Amino acid sequence: MTTNAGPMKNREGIRRTIDAVLPRLEQADIALALENPGHGKGDLFDSARSWASFIREIGSRHICLNHDAGNVFTYSQEATQPAEDITAAIHAVGHAHLKDVVSRDAGWKFCALGRGSVDYQKYWAILPSALLVSIEIPLRLERLQRRDRQRRNTPVDINEIRDTLQRSLHFVTMLGTTLDSGSNDAI
């Protein structure tokens, strides 16, 4: 189960909520993965270092981090790549979202993995091999002028969705193959 945590000003309430649901999570043997934000300011988790501290404070294997690579890049206004961020909390990460954005003058546009500004070669090399990952490509969302995301009024064409997913799956397959062989020439 994945959720965003919320703003720093609600830290105590967030902690009380987690403490309240923790017995149920433990009983059901389910992990709650708290995700880093991709927009705004003043969130409880502005970096993996702050997450790791919060997770350590809770002290349960049922509370972990969902590291969203694209969100690291956009929340930091392009100052931080996800590989730089995750190293401070790799032990607390239970899941990762793979998401990429193209950086343009008009803002950020979500795109197929490997077609944007997120450095996935370094990120993939750091991820533990057993870590659960998922591809997230919110094609209907836009980040004009790098502001909060907005949903476009029109649906995305099914052929664009298929093409983006195929390109992303191919990229992830090539990443795994390339890093396993020790060569980065294939990407």
Side-chain angles (χ1 to χ4, degrees), residues 113-114 120-121 166-176 187:
L113 295 177
Y120 273 103
Q121 287 190 0
Q166 288 173 345
R167 288 173 185 264
S168 296
L169 289 171
H170 177 74
F171 178 75
V172 170
T173 301
M174 292 303 297
L175 261 180
I187 299 177

Side-chain angles (χ1 to χ4, degrees), residues 98-100 110-113 135-140 161 164-165 168-169:
L98 308 180
K99 178 168 53 189
D100 210 344
F110 295 102
C111 62
L113 295 177
I135 295 173
E136 180 185 2
I137 309 171
L139 296 175
R140 196 163 178 182
I161 293 169
T164 302
L165 284 173
S168 296
L169 289 171

Side-chain angles (χ1 to χ4, degrees), residues 4-100:
N4 287 327
M8 176 59 88
K9 66 181 181 182
N10 296 345
R11 185 186 198 285
E12 290 175 21
I14 293 165
R15 178 60 199 264
R16 281 192 307 271
T17 301
I18 291 171
D19 289 343
V21 300
L22 191 53
R24 287 184 166 168
L25 294 171
E26 291 170 344
Q27 182 180 12
D29 200 23
I30 295 173
L32 174 63
L34 303 172
E35 182 172 334
N36 55 309
H39 62 285
K41 292 188 184 328
D43 280 285
L44 180 60
F45 304 135
D46 62 353
S47 69
R49 188 174 312 285
S50 63
W51 303 336
S53 173
F54 188 76
I55 297 299
R56 238 184 340 269
E57 186 181 297
I58 294 168
S60 172
R61 68 178 183 85
H62 294 279
I63 306 296
C64 61
L65 308 175
N66 177 59
H67 196 262
D68 188 309
N71 285 359
V72 168
F73 186 73
T74 58
Y75 189 84
S76 71
Q77 296 292 309
E78 302 184 20
T80 305
Q81 285 287 344
E84 300 166 33
D85 184 66
I86 198 171
T87 56
I90 196 76
H91 62 280
V93 176
H95 188 267
H97 276 166
L98 308 180
K99 178 168 53 189
D100 210 344

Side-chain angles (χ1 to χ4, degrees), residues 121 124-125 173-187:
Q121 287 190 0
W124 194 261
T173 301
M174 292 303 297
L175 261 180
T177 303
T178 302
L179 291 176
D180 287 344
S181 71
S183 166
N184 289 332
D185 297 336
I187 299 177

